[in-house]
Amino acid sequence: QTGAAKFELRQFVDQVIFDFDVRIADGTARPADGMSFNVADDLPDGTYPQSEEGYNANDNTVNAQGLMIAFDVWDGGAADNRGFEAKFGGESRAFAQAPDIRDGTPTVGENGIPSIYRDDWVHAKVTVSSDGALSMVYDDYVIFENEDIGYTGIENAQVGFGARTGGANETHWIDNLRISFTGDTVGPVRGLGDNERPSITGDTTTEERIPFTLEVTELDGATPYTYQWYKDGVPIEGARQAGDLTGRRA
């Protein structure tokens, strides 16, 4: 049995955050199979096979630029198939083996990685940044931390997820899903020159409660420099330094 959902966004995705609650439970003594999140320019309208390994997981020609984050519960006869995995460009870029389950009881492996099957609601967060780094937290366990997966962005991308079960089975529940295409930082503001006012435009929000810092760098022209920060065209009182303009989104 397979299921899938797709979001029709169609945009350039150079970074992405999947933040959600998940419950993978209610399975057989040895549960199966798993689920995946996918970013690609050719996601199908329906389901796709081997959803737990990602869209076109075994075809590195059809979806060569796809990003797949796999949560594979079933080992398929090989332990290195069971776990958390990131794939990009038709290749496996990061893998963390999860422990096997034979009696339906969630556990944690000797490597500190938990079973994907948790039998309760847990929080998960997957961050792929514009510099190609992957971070993942699952049920408060750090699965990956700034792991370089070589991600370079996908043009005209769509986002979707899929799941699969077979004779061995489990249920896959997702709630409070938030998909963001803005990272935790927006980078430095670069000065443009005499009498030119640089600006930050577009969707440059940070995540909730994440502090941020703005800084002016790489100025040209004659010194001394003077500074004045603005918000929505209005001067910010006291904000007359090159850096350390900090804030926090409520």
Side-chain angles (χ1 to χ4, degrees):
Q1 302 87 3
T2 60
K6 181 174 68 171
F7 300 91
E8 296 283 357
L9 64 140
R10 290 295 182 189
Q11 69 177 61
F12 176 63
V13 175
D14 68 332
Q15 57 188 348
V16 63
I17 298 173
F18 296 107
D19 194 313
F20 57 100
D21 295 325
V22 58
R23 183 174 184 267
I24 300 178
D26 309 316
T28 49
R30 190 181 181 197
D33 279 282
M35 67 176 194
S36 65
F37 282 91
N38 303 273
V39 181
D41 63 5
D42 60 348
L43 288 178
D45 291 330
T47 60
Y48 34 95
Q50 294 183 294
S51 303
E52 73 281 4
E53 296 184 19
Y55 171 52
N56 282 331
N58 296 320
D59 186 341
N60 61 8
T61 59
V62 176
N63 189 34
Q65 292 304 311
L67 171 68
M68 290 150 276
I69 307 297
F71 302 76
D72 195 344
V73 176
W74 183 266
D75 61 22
D80 58 0
N81 290 336
R82 183 188 64 249
F84 303 87
E85 187 171 15
K87 305 175 184 180
F88 178 63
E91 300 178 358
S92 177
R93 301 300 181 97
F95 178 78
Q97 183 176 322
D100 198 5
I101 293 180
R102 300 283 177 160
D103 61 359
T105 303
T107 185
V108 179
E110 294 181 357
N111 59 356
I113 302 299
S115 57
I116 297 170
Y117 185 95
R118 301 302 291 163
D119 205 24
D120 200 357
W121 285 100
V122 302
H123 179 253
K125 183 177 180 180
V126 179
T127 302
V128 180
S129 63
S130 57
D131 62 1
L134 164 70
S135 295
M136 179 190 296
V137 175
Y138 189 82
D139 193 16
D140 293 329
Y141 294 89
V142 176
I143 310 301
F144 303 112
E145 186 172 11
N146 294 322
E147 185 88 13
D148 184 8
I149 63 170
Y151 182 69
T152 55
I154 299 173
E155 297 281 357
N156 201 32
Q158 297 172 296
V159 172
F161 54 91
R164 182 176 74 126
T165 66
N169 57 72
E170 65 200 8
T171 59
H172 306 85
W173 302 86
I174 295 174
D175 199 6
N176 299 318
L177 173 65
R178 183 175 69 90
I179 304 173
S180 173
F181 303 108
T182 301
D184 293 346
T185 62
V186 296
V189 179
R190 183 169 180 169
L192 301 179
D194 294 342
N195 300 318
E196 293 182 89
R197 183 184 300 172
S199 63
I200 304 172
T201 60
D203 183 6
T204 54
T205 58
T206 68
E207 289 190 86
E208 292 184 354
R209 298 178 297 278
I210 298 295
F212 61 86
T213 299
L214 304 180
E215 181 182 11
V216 177
T217 62
E218 300 182 37
L219 286 176
D220 296 322
T223 58
Y225 303 125
T226 59
Y227 305 90
Q228 174 64 64
W229 289 87
Y230 292 76
K231 180 181 179 182
D232 297 330
V234 178
I236 301 174
E237 184 177 356
R240 300 182 61 84
Q241 302 296 321
D244 298 328
L245 179 66
T246 61
R248 184 184 297 267
R249 182 182 171 201

